[in-house]
Amino acid sequence: MGHSTLAHQRADSEVYQFSTIGALLDGVYDGDVTVAEIMRHGDFGLGTFNHLDGEMVVLDGVCYRLRADGTAARAEPTDRTPFAAVTRFHADFEFDIAEPTARSAVIDAIDHRIASANLIYAIRVTGRFRELRTRTVMAQEPPYPPLTQATEDQAETVFTDANGTLVGFRTPDFEQGIAVAGYHLHFLDADRTAGGHVLDFVLERGRAAVSGAAQLHLSLPTSGAFLDARLSGAELAERIDQAEGPRAGRPPKP
């Protein structure tokens, strides 16, 4: 990885995150923080909603809820979240992708351009996707199952020849459990009416933009199920891969 972009990265850029992916793994699906509060801290990001009722995409200062049937609509400011991460997107660098490129190759292209694997990067890829596979977890009812169990019944959607944007983060390995280490991406189509959590894709052509951050503001819940959640363990990375999909373009384990 080169260091040419390091000088251009804003040292004060921050990712604001509410709760942890480890808490979601342990079934903490209710939070007290509203969309309006999250939006005070950024204009770009992702997350989920209480009861796991839809995936969250924040793009161009608007928060969207992506539902299990593959549809998307604007979220309400009063909607609440158990997990979200946002930043103020500024492109430290951008590059075009002019030919059909698989997920793993897009990720490799970004990895070769970032300043360091130890910093956090917001990732935005806008273009036309030859094929894109997403999932959205179904809304859950208490008592909540762990995320690995909830994702067993996930609804998958395949988009073909779709225009839209990938929204997400590249997070350092040492943040595993706080966030999803590696790449965590959601998709929102150009009409802002469909999308989901990205499992795999082939980009026909498009443009990638990367916004680096050296600050992480982690806001933890002070009440509710989070206080008694099991947030560590040797199998943490494996549970995250099982629930969120393979990291950094690696094929899933058989």
Side-chain angles (χ1 to χ4, degrees):
M1 276 172 265
H3 294 270
S4 60
T5 60
L6 188 58
H8 305 294
Q9 182 162 307
R10 303 179 191 180
D12 61 346
S13 294
E14 175 183 280
V15 172
Y16 176 91
Q17 182 175 309
F18 175 69
S19 194
T20 71
I21 202 74
L24 273 190
L25 278 176
D26 208 48
V28 182
Y29 300 156
D30 291 317
D32 294 331
V33 173
T34 64
V35 165
E37 170 66 16
I38 290 294
M39 298 297 292
R40 287 180 50 230
H41 298 278
D43 56 18
F44 178 95
L46 50 65
T48 187
F49 293 90
N50 278 11
H51 316 297
L52 293 191
D53 188 11
E55 306 278 356
M56 179 189 294
V57 161
V58 177
L59 181 61
D60 298 327
V62 180
C63 183
Y64 300 89
R65 185 193 294 256
L66 320 178
R67 294 199 179 274
D69 61 1
T71 63
R74 284 193 178 212
E76 296 295 330
T78 52
D79 288 343
R80 296 180 185 273
T81 175
F83 173 84
V86 294
T87 191
R88 302 195 187 282
F89 195 96
H90 61 277
D92 285 314
F93 63 89
E94 301 181 58
F95 62 94
D96 291 320
I97 298 168
E99 59 187 19
T101 307
R103 178 185 189 270
S104 58
V106 171
I107 283 168
D108 285 345
I110 295 171
D111 278 350
H112 279 92
R113 288 169 169 83
I114 61 174
S116 169
N118 295 331
L119 299 173
I120 310 168
Y121 297 92
I123 309 294
R124 185 183 70 209
V125 180
T126 301
R128 184 170 183 84
F129 294 84
R130 175 179 291 184
E131 183 173 296
L132 187 140
R133 189 163 58 93
T134 68
R135 67 99 164 126
T136 304
V137 176
M138 308 286 284
Q140 303 294 307
E141 297 293 336
Y144 294 131
L147 189 60
T148 50
Q149 187 175 329
T151 54
E152 290 176 359
D153 298 324
Q154 64 191 10
E156 293 195 11
T157 302
V158 177
F159 296 87
T160 55
D161 297 324
N163 293 312
T165 303
L166 303 180
V167 171
F169 293 94
R170 185 201 189 282
T171 300
D173 283 352
F174 62 78
E175 272 197 59
Q176 183 74 295
I178 296 174
V180 177
Y183 285 80
H184 183 189
L185 303 169
H186 289 180
F187 173 71
L188 185 66
D189 75 351
D191 295 331
R192 309 293 199 253
T193 57
H197 172 99
V198 175
L199 297 174
D200 203 3
F201 65 84
V202 176
L203 178 66
E204 185 78 29
R205 61 186 179 277
R207 187 168 181 82
V210 178
S211 172
Q215 308 289 328
L216 174 64
H217 182 131
L218 182 60
S219 177
L220 299 177
T222 56
S223 63
F226 180 86
L227 300 184
D228 296 314
R230 184 172 59 99
L231 301 180
S232 61
E235 77 288 359
L236 181 65
E238 187 174 329
R239 290 164 62 207
I240 290 176
D241 281 357
Q242 183 181 343
E244 297 292 334
R247 287 170 46 205
R250 301 170 194 163
K253 294 178 181 177

